[in-house]
Amino acid sequence: EVLKKIIEYIQRQDEKIVLFVLGDHGMTADGNHGGALPEETNAALFAYSSEPIFHKFVSHNSDGSISAV
């Protein structure tokens, strides 16, 4: 919900904007972090750009996502 509001704000701007949101570690369902489990070592990365960045270099899936760059 928070990212949705931020993207809506960015889309209303006249400037070119790139947003990166990332975590430094994951967390298990019970709140543990810093261990060796995949839930603790994997971290999220979200990127949004008001203009295409990689459109000349990658192909998109049918849903608009990119499998790998």
Short mmCIF file of all heavy atoms in Angstrom, two decimals:
data_model
loop_
_atom_site.label_atom_id
_atom_site.label_comp_id
_atom_site.label_asym_id
_atom_site.label_seq_id
_atom_site.Cartn_x
_atom_site.Cartn_y
_atom_site.Cartn_z
N GLU A 1 0.82 -1.19 0.00
CA GLU A 1 0.00 0.00 0.00
C GLU A 1 0.87 1.26 0.00
O GLU A 1 0.56 2.21 -0.68
CB GLU A 1 -0.94 -0.04 1.21
CG GLU A 1 -1.94 1.08 1.24
CD GLU A 1 -2.98 1.03 0.12
OE1 GLU A 1 -3.27 -0.06 -0.38
OE2 GLU A 1 -3.46 2.10 -0.25
N VAL A 2 1.94 1.26 0.78
CA VAL A 2 2.82 2.43 0.84
C VAL A 2 3.49 2.65 -0.51
O VAL A 2 3.53 3.77 -1.02
CB VAL A 2 3.87 2.27 1.96
CG1 VAL A 2 4.90 3.38 1.89
CG2 VAL A 2 3.19 2.24 3.31
N LEU A 3 4.03 1.57 -1.13
CA LEU A 3 4.66 1.71 -2.44
C LEU A 3 3.67 2.20 -3.48
O LEU A 3 4.02 3.00 -4.35
CB LEU A 3 5.29 0.39 -2.88
CG LEU A 3 6.58 0.01 -2.17
CD1 LEU A 3 7.06 -1.36 -2.64
CD2 LEU A 3 7.66 1.04 -2.39
N LYS A 4 2.44 1.74 -3.41
CA LYS A 4 1.41 2.18 -4.35
C LYS A 4 1.21 3.70 -4.26
O LYS A 4 1.16 4.39 -5.27
CB LYS A 4 0.10 1.46 -4.08
CG LYS A 4 -1.01 1.83 -5.02
CD LYS A 4 -2.28 1.06 -4.70
CE LYS A 4 -3.41 1.53 -5.60
NZ LYS A 4 -4.68 0.86 -5.27
N LYS A 5 1.16 4.22 -3.05
CA LYS A 5 0.99 5.66 -2.86
C LYS A 5 2.21 6.44 -3.37
O LYS A 5 2.08 7.50 -3.97
CB LYS A 5 0.73 5.98 -1.39
CG LYS A 5 -0.63 5.52 -0.94
CD LYS A 5 -0.89 5.87 0.50
CE LYS A 5 -2.27 5.38 0.90
NZ LYS A 5 -2.70 5.84 2.18
N ILE A 6 3.40 5.90 -3.14
CA ILE A 6 4.61 6.55 -3.62
C ILE A 6 4.63 6.58 -5.14
O ILE A 6 4.95 7.60 -5.76
CB ILE A 6 5.86 5.86 -3.06
CG1 ILE A 6 5.95 6.08 -1.54
CG2 ILE A 6 7.13 6.36 -3.75
CD1 ILE A 6 7.01 5.26 -0.86
N ILE A 7 4.28 5.46 -5.77
CA ILE A 7 4.26 5.40 -7.24
C ILE A 7 3.22 6.37 -7.80
O ILE A 7 3.47 7.07 -8.79
CB ILE A 7 4.01 3.96 -7.72
CG1 ILE A 7 5.23 3.11 -7.42
CG2 ILE A 7 3.68 3.92 -9.21
CD1 ILE A 7 5.02 1.63 -7.62
N GLU A 8 2.06 6.42 -7.19
CA GLU A 8 1.03 7.37 -7.63
C GLU A 8 1.56 8.81 -7.55
O GLU A 8 1.31 9.62 -8.44
CB GLU A 8 -0.24 7.20 -6.82
CG GLU A 8 -0.97 5.92 -7.14
CD GLU A 8 -2.11 5.62 -6.19
OE1 GLU A 8 -2.27 6.34 -5.16
OE2 GLU A 8 -2.86 4.66 -6.44
N TYR A 9 2.29 9.13 -6.49
CA TYR A 9 2.90 10.45 -6.34
C TYR A 9 3.91 10.70 -7.46
O TYR A 9 3.92 11.76 -8.09
CB TYR A 9 3.56 10.59 -4.97
CG TYR A 9 4.37 11.85 -4.84
CD1 TYR A 9 3.74 13.06 -4.55
CD2 TYR A 9 5.74 11.85 -5.04
CE1 TYR A 9 4.48 14.23 -4.46
CE2 TYR A 9 6.48 13.02 -4.94
CZ TYR A 9 5.84 14.20 -4.65
OH TYR A 9 6.57 15.36 -4.57
N ILE A 10 4.79 9.72 -7.70
CA ILE A 10 5.82 9.85 -8.75
C ILE A 10 5.16 10.08 -10.10
O ILE A 10 5.62 10.91 -10.90
CB ILE A 10 6.73 8.62 -8.77
CG1 ILE A 10 7.62 8.59 -7.52
CG2 ILE A 10 7.59 8.58 -10.04
CD1 ILE A 10 8.41 7.30 -7.36
N GLN A 11 4.10 9.36 -10.38
CA GLN A 11 3.44 9.47 -11.69
C GLN A 11 2.84 10.86 -11.91
O GLN A 11 2.64 11.27 -13.05
CB GLN A 11 2.37 8.39 -11.82
CG GLN A 11 2.96 7.01 -11.97
CD GLN A 11 1.93 5.90 -11.94
OE1 GLN A 11 0.85 6.05 -11.37
NE2 GLN A 11 2.26 4.78 -12.54
N ARG A 12 2.55 11.58 -10.86
CA ARG A 12 2.00 12.94 -10.99
C ARG A 12 3.08 13.99 -11.20
O ARG A 12 2.77 15.15 -11.50
CB ARG A 12 1.17 13.29 -9.75
CG ARG A 12 -0.11 12.49 -9.63
CD ARG A 12 -1.03 13.05 -8.56
NE ARG A 12 -0.41 13.15 -7.25
CZ ARG A 12 -0.46 12.22 -6.30
NH1 ARG A 12 -1.09 11.09 -6.52
NH2 ARG A 12 0.11 12.41 -5.13
N GLN A 13 4.34 13.64 -11.05
CA GLN A 13 5.44 14.60 -11.17
C GLN A 13 5.85 14.76 -12.63
O GLN A 13 5.69 13.87 -13.45
CB GLN A 13 6.64 14.15 -10.34
CG GLN A 13 6.32 13.87 -8.90
CD GLN A 13 5.55 14.98 -8.22
OE1 GLN A 13 6.00 16.12 -8.19
NE2 GLN A 13 4.39 14.67 -7.67
N ASP A 14 6.42 15.92 -12.96
CA ASP A 14 6.91 16.19 -14.30
C ASP A 14 8.38 15.83 -14.45
O ASP A 14 8.95 15.98 -15.52
CB ASP A 14 6.73 17.68 -14.65
CG ASP A 14 5.26 18.05 -14.79
OD1 ASP A 14 4.47 17.18 -15.18
OD2 ASP A 14 4.91 19.20 -14.50
N GLU A 15 9.01 15.38 -13.40
CA GLU A 15 10.43 15.05 -13.42
C GLU A 15 10.63 13.56 -13.72
O GLU A 15 9.75 12.75 -13.49
CB GLU A 15 11.06 15.36 -12.06
CG GLU A 15 10.94 16.79 -11.65
CD GLU A 15 11.48 17.01 -10.25
OE1 GLU A 15 12.59 16.52 -9.98
OE2 GLU A 15 10.79 17.64 -9.45
N LYS A 16 11.83 13.22 -14.22
CA LYS A 16 12.21 11.83 -14.39
C LYS A 16 12.69 11.33 -13.03
O LYS A 16 13.56 11.93 -12.41
CB LYS A 16 13.33 11.69 -15.42
CG LYS A 16 12.92 12.13 -16.80
CD LYS A 16 14.09 12.03 -17.74
CE LYS A 16 13.71 12.56 -19.11
NZ LYS A 16 14.86 12.55 -20.03
N ILE A 17 12.09 10.25 -12.55
CA ILE A 17 12.40 9.75 -11.22
C ILE A 17 12.64 8.24 -11.28
O ILE A 17 11.92 7.52 -11.95
CB ILE A 17 11.24 10.04 -10.23
CG1 ILE A 17 11.03 11.55 -10.11
CG2 ILE A 17 11.49 9.40 -8.88
CD1 ILE A 17 9.82 11.94 -9.30
N VAL A 18 13.65 7.78 -10.54
CA VAL A 18 13.89 6.36 -10.34
C VAL A 18 13.87 6.10 -8.85
O VAL A 18 14.51 6.82 -8.08
CB VAL A 18 15.25 5.91 -10.94
CG1 VAL A 18 15.50 4.44 -10.66
CG2 VAL A 18 15.29 6.17 -12.43
N LEU A 19 13.14 5.07 -8.43
CA LEU A 19 13.01 4.73 -7.02
C LEU A 19 13.51 3.30 -6.80
O LEU A 19 13.12 2.40 -7.53
CB LEU A 19 11.54 4.82 -6.58
CG LEU A 19 11.19 4.26 -5.20
CD1 LEU A 19 11.79 5.13 -4.11
CD2 LEU A 19 9.69 4.14 -5.05
N PHE A 20 14.39 3.12 -5.84
CA PHE A 20 14.85 1.79 -5.43
C PHE A 20 14.51 1.62 -3.96
O PHE A 20 14.83 2.48 -3.14
CB PHE A 20 16.37 1.65 -5.60
CG PHE A 20 16.82 1.62 -7.03
CD1 PHE A 20 17.25 2.78 -7.65
CD2 PHE A 20 16.81 0.43 -7.74
CE1 PHE A 20 17.67 2.77 -8.96
CE2 PHE A 20 17.24 0.40 -9.06
CZ PHE A 20 17.67 1.57 -9.67
N VAL A 21 13.86 0.51 -3.63
CA VAL A 21 13.56 0.16 -2.25
C VAL A 21 14.14 -1.24 -2.02
O VAL A 21 13.83 -2.16 -2.77
CB VAL A 21 12.05 0.15 -1.96
CG1 VAL A 21 11.77 -0.26 -0.53
CG2 VAL A 21 11.43 1.50 -2.29
N LEU A 22 15.00 -1.39 -1.02
CA LEU A 22 15.60 -2.69 -0.78
C LEU A 22 15.80 -2.93 0.70
O LEU A 22 15.86 -2.00 1.49
CB LEU A 22 16.93 -2.83 -1.52
CG LEU A 22 17.97 -1.75 -1.22
CD1 LEU A 22 19.32 -2.38 -1.00
CD2 LEU A 22 18.02 -0.80 -2.40
N GLY A 23 15.89 -4.20 1.03
CA GLY A 23 16.14 -4.60 2.41
C GLY A 23 17.55 -5.14 2.55
O GLY A 23 18.14 -5.62 1.58
N ASP A 24 18.10 -5.07 3.74
CA ASP A 24 19.45 -5.60 3.95
C ASP A 24 19.42 -7.05 4.41
O ASP A 24 20.45 -7.71 4.44
CB ASP A 24 20.24 -4.73 4.93
CG ASP A 24 19.61 -4.68 6.30
OD1 ASP A 24 18.41 -5.01 6.43
OD2 ASP A 24 20.30 -4.31 7.25
N HIS A 25 18.26 -7.57 4.81
CA HIS A 25 18.11 -8.97 5.19
C HIS A 25 16.64 -9.31 5.21
O HIS A 25 15.78 -8.44 5.19
CB HIS A 25 18.75 -9.27 6.55
CG HIS A 25 18.18 -8.47 7.67
ND1 HIS A 25 16.96 -8.73 8.24
CD2 HIS A 25 18.66 -7.38 8.32
CE1 HIS A 25 16.71 -7.86 9.20
NE2 HIS A 25 17.74 -7.01 9.26
N GLY A 26 16.35 -10.59 5.24
CA GLY A 26 14.97 -11.05 5.36
C GLY A 26 14.60 -11.30 6.81
O GLY A 26 15.34 -10.94 7.73
N MET A 27 13.44 -11.95 6.99
CA MET A 27 12.98 -12.23 8.34
C MET A 27 12.01 -13.42 8.28
O MET A 27 11.23 -13.54 7.34
CB MET A 27 12.27 -11.01 8.93
CG MET A 27 11.87 -11.15 10.37
SD MET A 27 11.29 -9.59 11.10
CE MET A 27 9.84 -9.25 10.15
N THR A 28 12.08 -14.29 9.27
CA THR A 28 11.15 -15.41 9.33
C THR A 28 9.79 -14.92 9.82
O THR A 28 9.66 -13.79 10.31
CB THR A 28 11.65 -16.51 10.29
OG1 THR A 28 11.76 -15.97 11.59
CG2 THR A 28 12.99 -17.07 9.83
N ALA A 29 8.78 -15.78 9.70
CA ALA A 29 7.42 -15.41 10.11
C ALA A 29 7.34 -15.07 11.59
O ALA A 29 6.52 -14.26 12.00
CB ALA A 29 6.46 -16.54 9.78
N ASP A 30 8.22 -15.66 12.42
CA ASP A 30 8.18 -15.36 13.85
C ASP A 30 9.13 -14.23 14.27
O ASP A 30 9.35 -13.97 15.45
CB ASP A 30 8.44 -16.61 14.70
CG ASP A 30 9.78 -17.26 14.42
OD1 ASP A 30 10.48 -16.82 13.50
OD2 ASP A 30 10.12 -18.22 15.14
N GLY A 31 9.71 -13.53 13.27
CA GLY A 31 10.50 -12.33 13.56
C GLY A 31 12.00 -12.51 13.66
O GLY A 31 12.71 -11.54 13.91
N ASN A 32 12.51 -13.74 13.50
CA ASN A 32 13.96 -13.94 13.56
C ASN A 32 14.63 -13.42 12.29
O ASN A 32 14.07 -13.49 11.21
CB ASN A 32 14.30 -15.42 13.74
CG ASN A 32 13.91 -15.93 15.10
OD1 ASN A 32 14.00 -15.22 16.09
ND2 ASN A 32 13.46 -17.18 15.15
N HIS A 33 15.82 -12.87 12.46
CA HIS A 33 16.61 -12.42 11.31
C HIS A 33 18.08 -12.54 11.66
O HIS A 33 18.45 -12.64 12.82
CB HIS A 33 16.25 -11.00 10.89
CG HIS A 33 16.38 -9.99 11.98
ND1 HIS A 33 17.57 -9.38 12.30
CD2 HIS A 33 15.48 -9.50 12.85
CE1 HIS A 33 17.38 -8.54 13.30
NE2 HIS A 33 16.11 -8.60 13.66
N GLY A 34 18.92 -12.55 10.62
CA GLY A 34 20.34 -12.65 10.87
C GLY A 34 20.86 -14.08 10.87
O GLY A 34 22.05 -14.31 11.04
N GLY A 35 19.98 -15.06 10.65
CA GLY A 35 20.40 -16.45 10.62
C GLY A 35 20.74 -16.90 9.21
O GLY A 35 20.96 -16.09 8.31
N ALA A 36 20.76 -18.21 9.00
CA ALA A 36 21.17 -18.77 7.71
C ALA A 36 20.01 -19.30 6.88
O ALA A 36 20.22 -19.77 5.77
CB ALA A 36 22.17 -19.90 7.96
N LEU A 37 18.80 -19.24 7.39
CA LEU A 37 17.65 -19.71 6.62
C LEU A 37 17.41 -18.79 5.42
O LEU A 37 17.69 -17.58 5.49
CB LEU A 37 16.39 -19.74 7.48
CG LEU A 37 16.37 -20.72 8.65
CD1 LEU A 37 15.12 -20.52 9.50
CD2 LEU A 37 16.40 -22.15 8.11
N PRO A 38 16.89 -19.34 4.31
CA PRO A 38 16.60 -18.49 3.14
C PRO A 38 15.72 -17.28 3.48
O PRO A 38 15.92 -16.19 2.96
CB PRO A 38 15.91 -19.43 2.17
CG PRO A 38 16.41 -20.79 2.53
CD PRO A 38 16.60 -20.75 4.03
N GLU A 39 14.76 -17.50 4.37
CA GLU A 39 13.88 -16.38 4.76
C GLU A 39 14.65 -15.25 5.43
O GLU A 39 14.24 -14.10 5.42
CB GLU A 39 12.78 -16.87 5.72
CG GLU A 39 11.81 -17.84 5.10
CD GLU A 39 12.25 -19.30 5.26
OE1 GLU A 39 13.43 -19.56 5.60
OE2 GLU A 39 11.41 -20.17 5.04
N GLU A 40 15.79 -15.59 6.04
CA GLU A 40 16.60 -14.59 6.74
C GLU A 40 17.70 -13.99 5.87
O GLU A 40 18.16 -12.88 6.12
CB GLU A 40 17.24 -15.23 7.98
CG GLU A 40 16.21 -15.70 8.99
CD GLU A 40 16.80 -16.60 10.04
OE1 GLU A 40 17.43 -17.61 9.70
OE2 GLU A 40 16.63 -16.27 11.24
N THR A 41 18.13 -14.74 4.86
CA THR A 41 19.24 -14.25 4.02
C THR A 41 18.77 -13.59 2.73
O THR A 41 19.49 -12.79 2.16
CB THR A 41 20.22 -15.39 3.67
OG1 THR A 41 19.50 -16.42 2.99
CG2 THR A 41 20.86 -15.95 4.92
N ASN A 42 17.58 -13.93 2.26
CA ASN A 42 17.05 -13.29 1.05
C ASN A 42 16.53 -11.90 1.40
O ASN A 42 15.93 -11.70 2.45
CB ASN A 42 15.93 -14.11 0.44
CG ASN A 42 16.42 -15.41 -0.14
OD1 ASN A 42 17.60 -15.58 -0.41
ND2 ASN A 42 15.51 -16.36 -0.33
N ALA A 43 16.77 -10.96 0.53
CA ALA A 43 16.30 -9.59 0.75
C ALA A 43 15.52 -9.12 -0.46
O ALA A 43 15.80 -9.50 -1.59
CB ALA A 43 17.48 -8.66 1.01
N ALA A 44 14.55 -8.29 -0.23
CA ALA A 44 13.69 -7.78 -1.30
C ALA A 44 14.36 -6.62 -2.03
O ALA A 44 15.15 -5.88 -1.45
CB ALA A 44 12.37 -7.32 -0.72
N LEU A 45 14.02 -6.49 -3.30
CA LEU A 45 14.44 -5.34 -4.11
C LEU A 45 13.27 -4.94 -4.99
O LEU A 45 12.68 -5.77 -5.68
CB LEU A 45 15.64 -5.69 -4.99
CG LEU A 45 15.99 -4.66 -6.08
CD1 LEU A 45 16.41 -3.34 -5.45
CD2 LEU A 45 17.07 -5.19 -6.99
N PHE A 46 12.90 -3.68 -4.94
CA PHE A 46 11.83 -3.12 -5.77
C PHE A 46 12.40 -1.91 -6.48
O PHE A 46 13.04 -1.06 -5.85
CB PHE A 46 10.64 -2.70 -4.89
CG PHE A 46 9.56 -1.99 -5.65
CD1 PHE A 46 8.61 -2.68 -6.34
CD2 PHE A 46 9.53 -0.60 -5.68
CE1 PHE A 46 7.61 -2.03 -7.06
CE2 PHE A 46 8.54 0.08 -6.38
CZ PHE A 46 7.58 -0.64 -7.07
N ALA A 47 12.20 -1.84 -7.78
CA ALA A 47 12.67 -0.68 -8.56
C ALA A 47 11.52 -0.16 -9.41
O ALA A 47 10.75 -0.94 -9.97
CB ALA A 47 13.84 -1.08 -9.44
N TYR A 48 11.41 1.16 -9.48
CA TYR A 48 10.38 1.80 -10.31
C TYR A 48 10.99 3.01 -10.99
O TYR A 48 11.73 3.76 -10.36
CB TYR A 48 9.18 2.24 -9.46
CG TYR A 48 8.15 2.96 -10.27
CD1 TYR A 48 7.18 2.25 -10.97
CD2 TYR A 48 8.16 4.34 -10.39
CE1 TYR A 48 6.24 2.91 -11.74
CE2 TYR A 48 7.23 5.01 -11.16
CZ TYR A 48 6.27 4.29 -11.85
OH TYR A 48 5.36 4.94 -12.62
N SER A 49 10.68 3.18 -12.25
CA SER A 49 11.16 4.34 -12.99
C SER A 49 9.98 4.98 -13.71
O SER A 49 9.11 4.29 -14.24
CB SER A 49 12.22 3.92 -14.02
OG SER A 49 12.58 5.04 -14.81
N SER A 50 9.96 6.30 -13.73
CA SER A 50 8.89 7.00 -14.42
C SER A 50 9.03 6.89 -15.94
O SER A 50 8.10 7.19 -16.66
CB SER A 50 8.85 8.47 -14.00
OG SER A 50 10.09 9.10 -14.28
N GLU A 51 10.19 6.47 -16.41
CA GLU A 51 10.43 6.23 -17.83
C GLU A 51 11.14 4.88 -17.99
O GLU A 51 11.85 4.45 -17.09
CB GLU A 51 11.30 7.33 -18.43
CG GLU A 51 10.60 8.67 -18.47
CD GLU A 51 11.35 9.66 -19.33
OE1 GLU A 51 12.44 9.36 -19.80
OE2 GLU A 51 10.81 10.76 -19.51
N PRO A 52 10.96 4.22 -19.15
CA PRO A 52 11.65 2.94 -19.36
C PRO A 52 13.17 3.10 -19.22
O PRO A 52 13.74 4.08 -19.67
CB PRO A 52 11.28 2.57 -20.79
CG PRO A 52 10.03 3.33 -21.07
CD PRO A 52 10.14 4.60 -20.28
N ILE A 53 13.80 2.11 -18.57
CA ILE A 53 15.24 2.14 -18.39
C ILE A 53 15.90 1.11 -19.30
O ILE A 53 16.84 1.40 -20.02
CB ILE A 53 15.63 1.85 -16.93
CG1 ILE A 53 15.07 2.92 -16.01
CG2 ILE A 53 17.13 1.75 -16.78
CD1 ILE A 53 15.28 2.62 -14.54
N PHE A 54 15.40 -0.12 -19.24
CA PHE A 54 16.04 -1.23 -19.93
C PHE A 54 15.31 -1.66 -21.20
O PHE A 54 15.57 -2.73 -21.71
CB PHE A 54 16.15 -2.43 -18.99
CG PHE A 54 16.92 -2.16 -17.75
CD1 PHE A 54 16.29 -2.14 -16.51
CD2 PHE A 54 18.29 -1.93 -17.80
CE1 PHE A 54 17.01 -1.90 -15.35
CE2 PHE A 54 19.02 -1.68 -16.65
CZ PHE A 54 18.37 -1.67 -15.43
N HIS A 55 14.40 -0.87 -21.71
CA HIS A 55 13.54 -1.32 -22.81
C HIS A 55 14.32 -1.75 -24.05
O HIS A 55 13.83 -2.55 -24.82
CB HIS A 55 12.52 -0.24 -23.16
CG HIS A 55 13.11 1.02 -23.69
ND1 HIS A 55 13.67 1.97 -22.87
CD2 HIS A 55 13.24 1.48 -24.95
CE1 HIS A 55 14.13 2.97 -23.60
NE2 HIS A 55 13.88 2.70 -24.86
N LYS A 56 15.53 -1.27 -24.26
CA LYS A 56 16.32 -1.66 -25.42
C LYS A 56 17.14 -2.92 -25.16
O LYS A 56 17.68 -3.50 -26.09
CB LYS A 56 17.26 -0.53 -25.82
CG LYS A 56 16.55 0.71 -26.31
CD LYS A 56 17.55 1.78 -26.70
CE LYS A 56 16.82 3.03 -27.13
NZ LYS A 56 17.77 4.11 -27.48
N PHE A 57 17.25 -3.33 -23.91
CA PHE A 57 18.17 -4.40 -23.55
C PHE A 57 17.49 -5.70 -23.10
O PHE A 57 18.14 -6.73 -23.03
CB PHE A 57 19.12 -3.94 -22.44
CG PHE A 57 19.83 -2.66 -22.78
CD1 PHE A 57 19.46 -1.48 -22.17
CD2 PHE A 57 20.83 -2.64 -23.73
CE1 PHE A 57 20.11 -0.29 -22.48
CE2 PHE A 57 21.47 -1.46 -24.05
CZ PHE A 57 21.12 -0.29 -23.43
N VAL A 58 16.23 -5.67 -22.75
CA VAL A 58 15.56 -6.86 -22.23
C VAL A 58 14.22 -7.06 -22.91
O VAL A 58 13.65 -6.15 -23.49
CB VAL A 58 15.33 -6.76 -20.70
CG1 VAL A 58 16.63 -6.62 -19.95
CG2 VAL A 58 14.40 -5.61 -20.37
N SER A 59 13.72 -8.27 -22.82
CA SER A 59 12.37 -8.55 -23.28
C SER A 59 11.48 -8.76 -22.06
O SER A 59 11.92 -9.23 -21.02
CB SER A 59 12.36 -9.80 -24.17
OG SER A 59 12.84 -10.90 -23.46
N HIS A 60 10.23 -8.39 -22.20
CA HIS A 60 9.29 -8.48 -21.10
C HIS A 60 8.42 -9.72 -21.24
O HIS A 60 8.13 -10.16 -22.35
CB HIS A 60 8.40 -7.24 -21.07
CG HIS A 60 9.14 -6.00 -20.74
ND1 HIS A 60 9.89 -5.31 -21.67
CD2 HIS A 60 9.27 -5.32 -19.58
CE1 HIS A 60 10.44 -4.25 -21.10
NE2 HIS A 60 10.08 -4.24 -19.83
N ASN A 61 8.00 -10.25 -20.11
CA ASN A 61 7.04 -11.36 -20.10
C ASN A 61 5.67 -10.81 -20.47
O ASN A 61 5.45 -9.61 -20.49
CB ASN A 61 7.00 -12.01 -18.71
CG ASN A 61 8.34 -12.59 -18.33
OD1 ASN A 61 9.05 -13.15 -19.17
ND2 ASN A 61 8.72 -12.46 -17.06
N SER A 62 4.73 -11.71 -20.74
CA SER A 62 3.38 -11.27 -21.15
C SER A 62 2.69 -10.44 -20.08
O SER A 62 1.83 -9.65 -20.39
CB SER A 62 2.54 -12.48 -21.51
OG SER A 62 2.41 -13.34 -20.38
N ASP A 63 3.09 -10.61 -18.81
CA ASP A 63 2.48 -9.82 -17.74
C ASP A 63 3.21 -8.50 -17.48
O ASP A 63 2.90 -7.78 -16.56
CB ASP A 63 2.39 -10.63 -16.45
CG ASP A 63 3.75 -10.97 -15.87
OD1 ASP A 63 4.78 -10.67 -16.48
OD2 ASP A 63 3.77 -11.56 -14.77
N GLY A 64 4.25 -8.20 -18.29
CA GLY A 64 5.00 -6.96 -18.14
C GLY A 64 6.21 -7.07 -17.24
O GLY A 64 6.99 -6.13 -17.13
N SER A 65 6.39 -8.20 -16.58
CA SER A 65 7.55 -8.39 -15.71
C SER A 65 8.77 -8.76 -16.52
O SER A 65 8.68 -9.13 -17.68
CB SER A 65 7.27 -9.46 -14.66
OG SER A 65 7.11 -10.72 -15.29
N ILE A 66 9.95 -8.64 -15.89
CA ILE A 66 11.21 -8.99 -16.52
C ILE A 66 11.82 -10.16 -15.73
O ILE A 66 11.99 -10.06 -14.53
CB ILE A 66 12.19 -7.80 -16.51
CG1 ILE A 66 11.60 -6.63 -17.26
CG2 ILE A 66 13.54 -8.20 -17.08
CD1 ILE A 66 12.39 -5.35 -17.13
N SER A 67 12.12 -11.25 -16.41
CA SER A 67 12.67 -12.42 -15.72
C SER A 67 14.10 -12.19 -15.26
O SER A 67 14.47 -12.52 -14.16
CB SER A 67 12.63 -13.64 -16.63
OG SER A 67 11.29 -13.96 -16.92
N ALA A 68 14.93 -11.61 -16.11
CA ALA A 68 16.34 -11.39 -15.77
C ALA A 68 16.89 -10.28 -16.66
O ALA A 68 16.46 -10.10 -17.78
CB ALA A 68 17.15 -12.64 -15.94
N VAL A 69 17.85 -9.56 -16.11
CA VAL A 69 18.52 -8.51 -16.88
C VAL A 69 19.93 -8.96 -17.16
O VAL A 69 20.61 -9.47 -16.34
CB VAL A 69 18.52 -7.17 -16.09
CG1 VAL A 69 19.31 -6.13 -16.85
CG2 VAL A 69 17.11 -6.71 -15.86
#
